[in-house]
Amino acid sequence: MTKWQLDVTSTAGHSSLQCTPEYGACSVLSAARLLDGLTQQVRHYPDITFNPGLMVAGTCLEHQPASARAMAYGKSNVIAAEATVEGDMRFAHPDQVAALQHTFSQLTDAVHALAHATLQFGEIDPAMPDAPRPADPALAGQ
C-alpha cells in the first residue's frame, strides 16, 4: 500500500473566464480529469485498488495531511485556484507501483498548460498477499 497526494493549481479569476485561453480550466476540473484518467489507468492492472479519500478545493485552502483535515475558502463565482486530493493505492506486486507512478506522471504532465499538477507518493508498505482473501462480512454490509 502507498498513500498519494495530488495537488493542482490554476489561475483564480471570475467564473466567466473559466476555460478561456487566458485562464484554462480551474483546479477542480483539472483534478477531476486527472482522477478519472488515473482511475481508467488502474483498471488495466489486476489486483490494484486506487481510492481518493479526501478532496478539498477553492480559492485558497489549508490542508493538514497528518490529521487528514482540510479547510477551503471559495465562492461560486470565482475560479478555484487550488485543489488537493489524497488517497491510497493497494497493489499485489511491488513492480506494479513503479509502472503506475510512471503512468501517473505522464497524466499530470499533460494537464492544461495553465494549470500545474503534482502527484506525490508516500512510503510503500508491503504488497497485498498473492492469494485473494474473502471480504470481511462486516465491511461488505456497509
Side-chain angles (χ1 to χ4, degrees), residues 22-34:
E22 296 83 18
Y23 282 80
C26 72
S27 60
V28 175
L29 293 177
S30 295
R33 286 185 190 117
L34 283 167

Side-chain angles (χ1 to χ4, degrees), residues 19-88:
C19 296
T20 62
E22 296 83 18
Y23 282 80
C26 72
S27 60
V28 175
L29 293 177
S30 295
R33 286 185 190 117
L34 283 167
L35 289 173
D36 183 56
L38 297 172
T39 300
Q40 297 304 321
Q41 291 300 315
V42 167
R43 290 183 179 163
H44 298 292
Y45 294 87
D47 305 321
I48 290 182
T49 65
F50 174 79
N51 181 57
L54 172 86
M55 181 174 187
V56 62
T59 307
C60 60
L61 60 88
E62 180 181 320
H63 178 225
Q64 302 166 353
S67 63
R69 294 178 185 263
M71 293 181 8
Y73 170 80
K75 292 176 65 180
S76 61
N77 67 339
V78 177
I79 296 170
E82 299 178 63
T84 295
V85 185
E86 68 176 40
D88 75 357

Side-chain angles (χ1 to χ4, degrees), residues 88-103:
D88 75 357
M89 181 174 65
R90 296 170 189 264
F91 50 91
H93 306 287
D95 57 331
Q96 292 173 316
V97 176
L100 279 172
Q101 286 176 329
H102 177 72
T103 300

